Amino acid sequence: MRPETLAIRTQTERTGEKEHSTPLFLTSSFVYDSAEDMAAAFADDSLDVNIYSRFSNPTVDEFIKKVCLLEGAEDGIATATGMAAVFSSFMTFLSAGDHILSASAVFGSTHTILTKYLPKWGIEYSYFDLNKPEAIEALIKKNTRLMYVETPSNPGLDIIDLDFISKLCKAYNIILIVDNCFATPAVQQPIRFGADLVLHSATKFMDGQGRMLGGVVVGKKELIKQMYLFVRNTGPSLSPFNAWVLTKSMETLFVRMEKHAQNALHIAKSLEGHPALNWVKYPFLPSHPRYEIAKQQMTNGGGILTFELKSGLEGGRKFLNGLKWLSMTNNLGDSRTIASHPASTTHSKLTEEERAAVGITPGLIRLSVGLEHPDDIIEEILQALPQ
Ligand SMILES: *Cc1c(COP(=O)(O)O)cnc(C)c1O
């Protein structure tokens, strides 16, 4: 079956009621038929039996299976949030004395883990610029164990050649982790380009309707086995209820991503060249510096675009205040179009130089393009721009 069908037709359980839709197994634990069965379940970690929902749950397993099939992965684990996925992957594979090499343009909380927490436990990090891939190799050290990238990155929409970075990691025996949150497996499958692990904040496009938090990591079986034991013992497991929401959301992932991308491209093209803007950035606009690479590794440009107001920081605030119905929030990947102004909100505590280093200029607006009629979105944006 093709991925579009697998996203809809993958069902791991059906109860005696013969329900059509996916059942929700809202149970913390599972029972046994005999003392021997119970003893066996605990004696052998590799036994495919549900014990306790912190370890595994049929509804959670269905969500994981869908993501594995769509990403082309051998196995996966689900977590309570995207950050739990990021943190669990770092904690599973990094020990005191190890080094992680990461793109500098990463999600804010990922940056905090790298810079504030890992050093407390004797783990070193270094940053590289996604736009200078030729400089990465020189930053690899003897103790480099993990490589971490987002592509496209948040909020800069920078793109790295996945084939290039995975070959580099293989040559040095480094585990490559890709945060594929902005693209989703409907648009980009990093494992097909050689990534070892792919993770997501399922909170964003995977749910796609701003209802819940979740995370998922998929990849090589032997790596996921180690992560599974970390999550099973430390507890950042995904709730069965959220997994049920997510497995239903996955049924519409392909149609949603196609429409998000269609709307976003239309809006990006309409805004490009507007006299109030310095530039518009979107992976599938020919003006994007990595347009050719985006075309190679993504099937569409995704749902996020950015533009820069000539009127700077103050202009960014004015633009948000000029919006009539478009949502002002820091979330993204929703059926509702969302505008955010990183310099005065999520990244306001950084200095202007620090912001510039991760591609955030004073007048930068990030638009998470929703599923409304594109003409309504355009009209709303135009009326809020300086006339
Ligand atoms: C939101 C986000 C995260 C964190 O996910 P949560 O579900 O909020 O914990 C990680 N990476 C990227 C790229 C994100 O956009």
Side-chain angles (χ1 to χ4, degrees):
M1 280 183 184
R2 292 158 184 84
E4 290 83 347
T5 312
L6 289 171
I8 296 167
R9 285 285 167 175
T10 302
Q11 185 156 353
T12 53
E13 292 279 345
R14 187 167 272 153
T15 74
E17 300 300 329
K18 296 193 178 294
E19 68 284 350
H20 184 210
S21 185
T22 283
L24 166 53
F25 291 93
L26 210 45
T27 179
S28 48
S29 67
F30 300 82
V31 293
Y32 306 91
D33 291 332
S34 69
E36 289 73 24
D37 282 359
M38 189 167 182
F42 278 85
D44 185 357
D45 274 352
S46 64
L47 220 57
D48 190 18
V49 51
N50 292 305
I51 298 173
Y52 189 53
S53 286
R54 169 153 48 80
F55 305 177
S56 69
N57 172 286
T59 314
V60 177
D61 287 347
E62 181 172 304
F63 167 61
I64 295 171
K65 187 163 180 200
K66 281 188 182 179
V67 181
C68 287
L69 287 169
L70 299 192
E71 291 281 9
E74 293 171 358
D75 206 354
I77 52 135
T79 53
T81 64
M83 285 323 300
V86 174
F87 186 65
S88 300
S89 65
F90 290 175
M91 286 296 98
T92 302
F93 300 110
L94 294 171
S95 306
D98 285 345
H99 172 245
I100 172 170
L101 194 47
S102 169
S104 52
V106 287
F107 186 69
S109 297
T110 305
H111 167 75
T112 305
I113 294 178
L114 288 165
T115 57
K116 300 276 186 323
Y117 291 96
L118 295 189
K120 277 200 340 181
W121 302 310
I123 299 161
E124 294 180 281
Y125 73 94
S126 331
Y127 276 151
F128 60 85
D129 183 344
L130 277 175
N131 294 312
K132 296 194 180 102
E134 67 286 353
I136 299 173
E137 189 167 4
L139 296 169
I140 295 174
K141 302 184 183 194
K142 278 206 179 65
N143 57 343
T144 306
R145 179 128 170 83
L146 293 185
M147 176 86 73
Y148 188 84
V149 295
E150 287 175 18
T151 182
S153 66
N154 182 11
L157 295 177
D158 291 324
I159 284 170
I160 192 156
D161 184 336
L162 285 168
D163 187 51
F164 163 82
I165 192 82
S166 66
K167 285 196 175 118
L168 187 63
C169 288
K170 290 233 157 37
Y172 287 89
N173 203 20
I174 296 167
I175 300 170
L176 172 62
I177 305 178
V178 178
D179 181 335
N180 198 27
C181 172
F182 266 36
T184 83
V187 174
Q188 171 176 274
Q189 302 97 33
I191 288 170
R192 300 193 201 287
F193 295 89
D196 298 299
L197 292 169
V198 170
L199 60 84
H200 289 273
S201 166
T203 313
K204 313 293 170 53
F205 287 108
M206 278 193 176
D207 169 41
Q209 285 143 91
R211 296 171 291 195
M212 36 72 56
L213 300 163
V216 62
V217 188
V218 299
K220 294 219 170 86
K221 205 172 187 71
E222 76 266 18
L223 299 178
I224 292 294
K225 169 90 181 161
Q226 294 175 54
M227 287 202 69
Y228 166 73
L229 292 174
F230 179 83
V231 170
R232 164 175 166 155
N233 286 300
T234 60
S237 317
L238 181 66
S239 110
F241 182 81
N242 285 5
W244 178 78
V245 173
L246 282 168
T247 192
K248 293 303 293 176
S249 303
M250 295 296 282
E251 295 188 15
T252 57
L253 182 71
F254 280 87
V255 284
R256 285 189 286 107
M257 290 314 294
E258 218 172 288
K259 181 69 176 161
H260 279 298
Q262 213 176 52
N263 278 359
L265 181 63
H266 177 72
I267 290 160
K269 280 182 176 164
S270 310
L271 289 178
E272 200 167 40
H274 189 286
L277 306 179
N278 283 327
W279 46 257
V280 177
K281 197 165 175 187
Y282 180 68
F284 268 37
L285 275 186
S287 56
H288 189 290
R290 294 282 182 275
Y291 174 68
E292 292 304 327
I293 293 166
K295 284 267 181 178
Q296 277 167 32
Q297 60 193 31
M298 300 167 77
T299 53
N300 63 47
I304 313 283
L305 66 92
T306 55
F307 55 80
E308 197 197 31
L309 290 153
K310 287 183 181 162
S311 46
L313 195 72
E314 199 42 43
R317 289 201 192 102
K318 276 202 182 123
F319 172 77
L320 288 190
N321 283 330
L323 295 170
K324 292 192 170 121
W325 56 265
L326 214 130
S327 312
M328 233 189 278
T329 166
N330 60 309
N331 197 27
L332 61 94
D334 198 292
S335 54
R336 302 173 176 203
T337 300
I338 292 166
S340 69
H341 180 222
S344 76
T345 57
T346 45
H347 294 74
S348 61
K349 294 208 173 65
L350 274 65
T351 64
E352 189 146 342
E353 291 72 45
E354 286 172 325
R355 281 199 290 267
V358 291
I360 300 168
T361 51
L364 179 95
I365 299 289
R366 186 189 72 192
L367 214 61
S368 169
V369 179
L371 305 176
E372 303 97 337
H373 195 288
D375 293 343
D376 285 325
I377 306 171
I378 282 281
E379 284 165 23
E380 164 75 342
I381 293 168
L382 290 178
Q383 66 81 34
L385 287 176
Q387 300 303 311

